[in-house]
Amino acid sequence: MKPSACRPLLRLSTLMSLLMQRAQGQFPIVQNLTVTEGGTANMTCRVDHNDNTSLQWSNPAQQTLFFGDKKALRDNRIDLVRASWQELTISIRDVTLSDEGPYTCSLFTMPVKTAKAYLTVLSVPEKPEINGFSKPAMEGDQITLTCVTSGSKPAADIRWFRNEKEIKGAKEVNASGKTFTVRSSLQLQVDRNDDGVAYTCRVDHVALLATPQQATEVLEVHYAPRVEIKYSQALPQEGQPLKLECVSKGNPSPDPVLWTKDGGELPDLDRMIVEGRDLTFTSLNKTDNGTYRCEASNHLGTNHAEYVLFVYDPNAVGQHGPDHALIGGVVAVVVFVTLCLIIVLGRYLARHKGTYLTNEAKGADDAPDADTAIINADGNHAHAEEKKEYFI
Ligand SMILES: *[C@@H]1O[C@H](CO)[C@@H](O)[C@H](O)[C@H]1NC(C)=O
Ligand SMILES: *[C@@H]1O[C@H](CO)[C@@H](O)[C@H](O)[C@H]1NC(C)=O
Ligand SMILES: *[C@@H]1O[C@H](CO)[C@@H](O)[C@H](O)[C@H]1NC(C)=O
Ligand SMILES: *[C@@H]1O[C@H](CO)[C@@H](O)[C@H](O)[C@H]1NC(C)=O
Ligand SMILES: *[C@@H]1O[C@H](CO)[C@@H](O)[C@H](O)[C@H]1NC(C)=O
Ligand SMILES: *[C@@H]1O[C@H](CO)[C@@H](O)[C@H](O)[C@H]1NC(C)=O
């Protein structure tokens, strides 16, 4: 080919590549932005290869905010951050929900090229409140705890915790304008175990980052007393002291408690001292035998517990009481160990001497439990008897 024919072709290709470059590089680049209400939105528009063509930012209402470095809209929240041929960045302070929408960056080429950056404004949920609960509740009451948080965008999430453990509530979301009111309720039938329990409603939201908002309600549940008597001696003996403690739990606290003997007043107030909830016998006497009752009341009811006092003769106790118990215990342990050995041995024999299946071993193997095994096993009848004697 001749150079003369070549040259226009070369020029054309250069022009083409130039055009291509322009088509590739000369357009505005923007990014969507998410800002929390009250924050600052920096909106950047970039043009990588610009031949000094003007840039402009306009708001969702199509009003021009900045044309190059020239401010076009009177709004002192909007400032210029950077203006060059490659970039136009503006900032909007104290962003409100009404600032949300598509912002347009225009590059005034022929024709005009635009790009839209969507500004999303988050709204922080208000501090949650728990209501629907009037203190205190009565045991057995059905109560509803309702937690409400308003003003969130997007809608916040509410989670419930009983002490630290999460429990499920019923959530309801209500839109009010651009924000949401979220409500979650918890239905409970309260009992004494709920008294003093903290129920926490926790609000999770993107705009709260790492610190969720929460509200806590500590339940107060009233219930009738429950009474129990604790004693200082298992085997009260004549001449010794004895302390009976009336443990009564109720809300409101039942105070004082009432001690009686066999349905009447305490017969000997010199030796039977009532102090607070305790009844103390300074020195027991056989004549103290009887049924002692402790009664506790609050406005929700009355309950009582009873203790049957049997005053042991110190001599009799020395000879028999502890000995019986001790011997019984030792025999029980011995019998138990023997039973275990027999069962293990029986299993061992059955497994290792397959052919040596005597009636004895068979009985033991077929039995549903250890007791029957022993009874079934002929040779061990004596042990079964022994066991019965001490365990009954
Ligand atoms: C916005 O730009 C200004 C100026 O460059 C800077 O100080 C500020 O930190 C930026 N704010 C955000 C949220 O990027
Ligand atoms: C762009 O503007 C700069 C000065 O702002 C000037 O020096 C340069 O020649 C211009 N380029 C074009 C392609 O107009
Ligand atoms: C920007 O936001 C708009 C509207 O929410 C969405 O349609 C678009 O895909 C987003 N663009 C990018 C790059 O995320
Ligand atoms: C908002 O919630 C209330 C109950 O809390 C309900 O009665 C009402 O219908 C809800 N409104 C809307 C628009 O969902
Ligand atoms: C027990 O009480 C009786 C009659 O009240 C009395 O005669 C007796 O001495 C008492 N016994 C002891 C050990 O205090
Ligand atoms: C009191 O206990 C003694 C044993 O210490 C017993 O002999 C006596 O029968 C009991 N009396 C009553 C009234 O229960």
Side-chain angles (χ1 to χ4, degrees), residues 33 35 39-43 80-82 89-91:
L33 203 58
V35 175
T40 300
N42 282 356
M43 318 221 36
L80 183 68
V81 175
R82 222 168 289 117
T89 298
I90 61 168
S91 77

Side-chain angles (χ1 to χ4, degrees), residues 238-239 271 283-287:
E238 188 158 42
R271 286 186 307 109
S283 169
L284 286 169
N285 189 308
K286 267 183 204 168
T287 57

Side-chain angles (χ1 to χ4, degrees), residues 19-251:
L19 281 170
M20 289 279 281
Q21 203 178 14
R22 283 176 72 167
Q24 273 172 2
Q26 197 169 11
F27 52 83
I29 302 166
V30 295
Q31 272 178 335
N32 283 353
L33 203 58
T34 299
V35 175
T36 300
E37 201 177 7
T40 300
N42 282 356
M43 318 221 36
T44 297
C45 181
R46 284 192 301 108
V47 183
D48 285 344
H49 306 284
N50 193 359
D51 58 359
N52 296 4
T53 305
S54 297
L55 281 166
Q56 167 190 293
W57 268 116
S58 55
N59 68 12
Q62 310 293 341
Q63 295 166 306
T64 300
L65 302 176
F66 269 91
F67 182 83
D69 58 1
K70 286 173 200 70
K71 189 167 179 169
L73 187 74
R74 226 178 242 272
D75 185 339
N76 56 17
R77 299 180 304 130
I78 302 175
D79 289 308
L80 183 68
V81 175
R82 222 168 289 117
S84 71
W85 296 123
Q86 272 74 46
E87 179 185 335
L88 179 59
T89 298
I90 61 168
S91 77
I92 308 172
R93 275 182 292 114
D94 299 327
V95 167
T96 68
L97 290 175
S98 57
D99 290 325
E100 184 168 271
Y103 285 71
T104 308
C105 175
S106 306
L107 178 67
F108 285 95
T109 47
M110 212 43 190
V112 176
K113 287 181 187 146
T114 62
K116 282 193 196 308
Y118 200 90
L119 176 64
T120 303
V121 181
L122 305 177
S123 179
V124 181
E126 277 164 29
K127 194 162 169 47
E129 271 178 26
I130 297 178
N131 48 45
F133 175 65
S134 53
K135 287 186 175 185
M138 302 293 151
E139 184 167 37
D141 277 1
Q142 185 89 35
I143 66 163
T144 304
L145 296 180
T146 304
C147 179
V148 186
T149 176
S150 51
S152 59
K153 179 179 171 296
D157 192 27
I158 292 182
R159 293 162 78 192
W160 284 99
F161 295 85
R162 183 186 192 275
N163 285 337
E164 302 297 303
K165 196 167 172 292
E166 181 161 8
I167 47 173
K168 206 142 184 62
K171 193 169 86 173
E172 187 192 346
V173 178
N174 241 336
S176 48
K178 288 188 173 180
T179 63
F180 298 90
T181 297
V182 184
R183 195 182 308 264
S184 179
S185 47
L186 207 56
Q187 287 220 339
L188 308 163
Q189 180 158 18
V190 294
D191 62 22
R192 58 190 60 209
N193 297 321
D194 285 309
D195 188 39
V197 168
Y199 281 87
T200 300
C201 140
R202 200 175 95 182
V203 174
D204 288 325
H205 192 261
V206 276
L208 288 172
L209 302 171
T211 53
Q213 300 247 38
Q214 57 185 47
T216 297
E217 185 75 49
V218 176
L219 296 197
E220 189 184 351
V221 180
H222 278 183
Y223 55 96
R226 178 171 294 171
V227 188
E228 190 191 331
I229 294 176
K230 286 187 177 166
Y231 44 85
S232 62
Q233 302 268 7
L235 293 170
Q237 297 174 35
E238 188 158 42
Q240 286 190 345
L242 173 69
K243 184 168 153 184
L244 298 180
E245 193 186 336
C246 182
V247 183
S248 59
K249 205 167 175 289
N251 190 11

Side-chain angles (χ1 to χ4, degrees), residues 39 101 106 141 149 154 199 207 223 231 241 256 261 266 295 300 308-309 311-312 363 391:
S106 306
D141 277 1
T149 176
Y199 281 87
Y223 55 96
Y231 44 85
K261 182 194 178 189
L266 295 177
E295 201 173 271
L300 286 163
V308 177
L309 175 62
V311 180
Y312 288 88
F391 275 110

